[in-house]
Amino acid sequence: MEAPVIHEFDAVIVGAGGAGLYAALELARQGVPTAVLSKLYPTRSHTGAAQGGICAALGNQEEDHWEWHMFDTVKGGDYLVDQDAAEILTREAIETVIELEHLGLPFNRTDDGRIDQRRFGGHTRNFGEAPVKRACYAADRTGHMILQTLYQQCIKHGVRFFDEYHVVDLLIEDGVSRGVVGYRLADGALHVFRSKSVLLATGGFGRMFRITSNAHTLTGDGAALAYRRGVPLEDMEFYQFHPTGLAGLGVLLSEAARGEGGILLNGKGERFMERYAPTLMDLAPRDIVSRAMTREIREGRGIDGKDYLFLDVHHLGRAVIDEKLPDITDFARVYQGVEPYTQPVGVQPTAHYAMGGVPTDVAARVVVDEQNTALPGLYAAGECACVSVHGANRLGTNSLLDILVFGRRAGRDMARFSKESGMPDLPADPAEPVHAELQALGARREGEPPARIRRELADVMMDDVGVFRTDGTLRHAQGVVRDLRDRYQGVRVQDSGARFNQDLLEAREVGYLLDCAETTVAAALARQESRGAHYREDFPERDDPNWLKHSLAYRADGGPALRYKPVTITRFTPKPRVY
Amino acid sequence: MQVNLRIQRFDPERDTAPRWEEYRLDVDPMARVLDLLHMVKWEQDASLTFRRSCGHGICGSDAMLINGRNRLACKIRVDQLGKKISVSPLPGLPVVKDLVVDMEGFFAKYRSVRPFLINDEPAPEKERRQSPRQRAVFDDTTKCILCGACTSSCPSYWARPGYVGPAAIVNAHRFIFDSRDEGAEERLEILSDRDGVWRCRTIFNCVDACPRGINITRAILEVSGAIVERTA
């Protein structure tokens, strides 16, 4: 192979969404030489698609306290949340949102000029009494404004960006992180980035499901690369389906639509959530609403008996719709040809968010076992990580909060680490292993297209590992995923060029998705209880004595090996979860 | 319905000039052009190259020239275009491969207008106050997703590639009119340059191209108005 280009930075960040950019900003402010690698342009990152808001107990609209927010987060996560992390999340939410405002984020405002707040699913006052106005927002493009604001600040502080570089390997030797290998899309050259610390901030892997709100590029790259290098993946069985994906497409319609007063209706015109969550109704947490919707559809009460329901916002009036929900009503117009001023919008649950991922401690350091032993120099934050603040089910807006609070913490700890540590040695021929893999992948002149494997994977995950699961569906999925893994060894990449060879990288992404799917299925099959987003029809109850613990899936011959670690419980002892 | 999709192809390792290829597809009228491109890529020719990510008009990756107008491929449906659809890269930017253009120059212009909040006052303990009315003044230009559809549709930009272009001005506007920002003076100085706002000939191509519905020409006129006011 041609000798790779070698770069040296104290810190390398993989992924340029909210978590990566906030970490980069922290590092840049502290003068630490930092590189950000993104397989896209940073402003294309999927943080930009987040709509509704970011919760913080500012109390600008009504009384609120971070303890209430913490309680909601723990209960929302069905008590699988690590409460030390949830406390940090909800306490630091307040200063983080204020700092975002100082950085220029154009929040919607109250009449007296403070940050406006609105309701969101599962967020309540006084430990579950009633919905509370906690979500700070910028119309329904809060994520867009967060992404723009952080990118702008990174430009201001001279962060070094490597755009359209796919990270294709992590350099870990003797239990120490030493950097990454990037593939430059423009010309196919491999670049080695030697660094003291590496942050994985690569987002989720919703593309392993057929109907998803996730970008095409969310293929679990960071999680899979860590898994291949011996890092376990935590709580992979917990995958959130968002209740309101646009029917057929999965494009997200924010919970803000219900936060502002929108309601769900079944084919008989009933507000069915009254039956499932009498107190919070349409604003119950997402796992509960998605299950209720799937039940309604299964029992024949979908619209015209089909596999979708209605989200109705017309009664909010044009002024509220235009001012507070402009983008999502535009989606309904563009993609369904429906006018939300007067018509209900067809919706169905859509694969949305991975609660699980690369395990970390509260400084965002990757930890690799039941004792939370850190892997020196390796960090993870955002959706690809599992800290775990979301437990078995994430509350709306807490993902934006997670990327900001723990992205910032990652940046701070990486800055500390880089000042205390020397530059690690690179392994011999650092790019050679991945070079050989890419050569093998690109060299076959016969074989099936990787797109076919991706489609079949998305089908089986949707049908068998979705909102409802049983031993039977999971075993079926396990067999199919295993078979797809075998077939993946024989895929053919059609494009043989060096320049902008997306075909090659997409083929590699299918491999990442297979890793994520394999661990998801294995952990879901093992967990014989129902908790949060993981619902087993054959084990419909939560089982704390046996299952109040995090799963860790390690790569092993013949399929993932599972281990477990305890949940950190500080303030709130597990109780039955009703809304 | 049956559609005839023409795509401008260019492989820098094989072709000396762009060429057109035609694909016949059987599609749902509600399908987007992005769906069609995926059909070709996933079922016929995996070497077809185009950027895309979110697939619903918020990331700005898939701006391209579709039936003569700059559009996001994920936001324009077959039933809005008819049976004959032609797709080529954004005009006025160097083609890298197929529908992928070199965006480096575009982003360099964006960076040149200092697109970040400038305010050196110590921040208060809580949020800076801003009334809903002050916030509304620059709301429109906060929507920009940097897709490049506007700048690459602008005849003034085609005629003079040094022109900073509508997208950069939109992003300058977003800060110049933000009551919290103190960098208006330096941005107006940059934009009063001969490659700044005066290159705009109010042709409105940018407004037509913007997938976010931003009234770009109005924003440019507000910026040039601020320059005039400053020098008056």
Side-chain angles (χ1 to χ4, degrees), chain A residues 107-124:
Chain A
F107 284 108
N108 278 43
R109 299 286 173 158
T110 61
D111 287 340
D112 63 353
R114 291 178 301 159
I115 295 170
D116 196 13
Q117 297 186 278
R118 63 181 170 198
R119 296 189 176 115
F120 235 82
H123 290 277
T124 70

Side-chain angles (χ1 to χ4, degrees), chain A residues 109 164 217 334 495 502, chain B residues 50-51 53 77 97 128:
Chain A
R109 299 286 173 158
E164 297 190 320
T217 45
V334 172
D495 192 336
Q502 279 177 332
Chain B
F50 52 93
R51 292 191 180 101
S53 188
R77 300 189 309 259
K97 183 174 176 180
R128 291 194 179 94

Side-chain angles (χ1 to χ4, degrees), chain A residues 17-23 25 47 100 103 105 145-156 161 403-404:
Chain A
L21 293 180
Y22 218 147
L25 179 58
T47 294
L100 277 179
L103 294 174
L105 199 137
M145 296 318 324
I146 288 173
L147 186 66
Q148 296 287 326
T149 300
L150 291 174
Y151 184 56
Q152 292 155 3
Q153 289 294 317
C154 284
I155 291 173
K156 184 177 183 177
F161 285 98
I403 61 177
L404 298 169

Side-chain angles (χ1 to χ4, degrees), chain A residues 15-43:
Chain A
L21 293 180
Y22 218 147
L25 179 58
E26 271 305 316
L27 285 154
R29 282 162 161 175
Q30 298 196 35
V32 179
T34 302
V36 178
L37 282 68
S38 170
K39 65 178 180 177
L40 310 169
Y41 276 90
T43 58

Side-chain angles (χ1 to χ4, degrees), chain A residues 10-27 34-38 167 170 177 179-180 195-203 222-223 226 358 360-361 363-366 377-385 403-404 406-415:
Chain A
D10 278 20
V12 164
I13 291 167
V14 186
L21 293 180
Y22 218 147
L25 179 58
E26 271 305 316
L27 285 154
T34 302
V36 178
L37 282 68
S38 170
V167 168
L170 307 183
S177 172
V180 303
S195 67
K196 297 176 182 173
S197 62
V198 170
L199 172 66
L200 301 174
T202 57
V358 178
T360 72
D361 64 14
R365 291 179 296 204
V366 170
L378 189 62
Y379 292 75
E383 189 174 344
C384 77
I403 61 177
L404 298 169
F406 291 99
R408 193 167 73 147
R409 282 181 154 251
R412 287 183 179 173
D413 204 67
M414 290 166 81

Side-chain angles (χ1 to χ4, degrees), chain A residues 41 164, chain B residues 51 92-97 99-107 157:
Chain A
Y41 276 90
E164 297 190 320
Chain B
R51 292 191 180 101
L93 296 169
V95 178
V96 173
K97 183 174 176 180
L99 301 170
V100 173
V101 292
D102 183 345
M103 298 290 284
E104 291 299 329
F106 174 82
F107 277 102
Y157 170 75

